Amino acid sequence: MPPHQIRMEDLAHAREMRDMRERFEREHGERHRHSSFSSRDLSYPDHLYFEGRGEDDWKHVETMLECIVGMVDKTKRAINMLRQRSIQDREELALWARRHAEGTENDIKKRVGDMMAHTFRQTDDRVSDVKRRAGTSRITLQMGECISLP
């Protein structure tokens, strides 16, 4: 499995850890109110289970960050590709306009304007779609990161 992918088991495990911690904190709070011993006497249940978990959690955070960086790189490449295509489309359109300049000038200008507007709309739509997908992925990853942090 590539290092930039998050497994569903990781998310489920993070959720389980959070639930255990919250349950312990609730119980700890209730016991502390009803007992006379200090908070130093209390420790997390199954402390052996929790040993080494911090390192594992940091690995998950690092994996999520690598995934985000990978998506940003892919988004940058996609935007650059769309810009290059847009420039190429404009050049081809300008060449076409020069070749077909025999018609009435107003008619050509209108056609070129319409085609340019269409090309710009297509490019903007593509760029917006890529940005939207990257933002959605980033938010999903951030939500997963928030869930996985203790």
Side-chain angles (χ1 to χ4, degrees):
M1 183 170 81
H4 62 277
Q5 290 185 349
I6 297 174
R7 300 177 309 193
M8 292 305 292
E9 299 91 42
D10 295 338
L11 295 175
H13 181 69
R15 226 177 264 123
E16 176 186 338
M17 293 297 294
R18 186 191 67 219
D19 293 344
M20 285 179 65
R21 181 180 38 93
E22 289 172 355
R23 189 171 36 252
F24 175 76
E25 288 171 356
R26 275 194 310 272
E27 291 171 3
H28 167 70
E30 291 173 13
R31 275 192 258 146
H32 186 63
R33 277 182 257 143
H34 300 296
S35 67
S36 62
F37 54 87
S38 70
S39 61
R40 285 182 285 156
D41 297 334
L42 294 176
S43 63
Y44 278 102
D46 299 326
H47 63 87
L48 293 175
Y49 178 77
F50 290 101
E51 285 183 18
R53 294 297 308 158
E55 183 179 320
D56 196 35
D57 289 341
W58 280 112
K59 285 180 185 177
H60 292 301
V61 169
E62 184 178 352
T63 301
M64 284 188 269
L65 290 174
E66 287 174 2
C67 187
I68 291 169
V69 168
M71 287 188 299
V72 168
D73 290 340
K74 287 178 183 179
T75 303
K76 285 180 180 178
R77 285 194 303 266
I79 289 172
N80 285 333
M81 183 182 65
L82 290 172
R83 285 181 182 154
Q84 289 172 353
R85 285 184 182 175
S86 176
I87 290 169
Q88 184 182 5
D89 288 347
R90 290 177 196 161
E91 291 170 352
E92 289 175 2
L93 188 59
L95 178 63
W96 178 86
R98 282 194 300 272
R99 288 184 181 163
H100 295 89
E102 297 171 1
T104 61
E105 193 169 313
N106 290 337
D107 188 39
I108 291 175
K109 286 182 181 179
K110 183 179 183 240
R111 288 181 191 173
V112 169
D114 291 343
M115 288 181 182
M116 292 286 283
H118 178 71
T119 301
F120 289 141
R121 278 192 304 271
Q122 276 186 324
T123 302
D124 289 340
D125 291 344
R126 289 177 184 165
V127 168
S128 297
D129 186 47
V130 168
K131 286 182 179 179
R132 180 189 55 79
R133 286 187 282 154
T136 302
S137 297
R138 180 179 48 84
I139 289 170
T140 302
L141 284 171
Q142 286 175 342
M143 287 174 34
E145 180 179 339
C146 289
I147 290 171
S148 69
L149 292 177

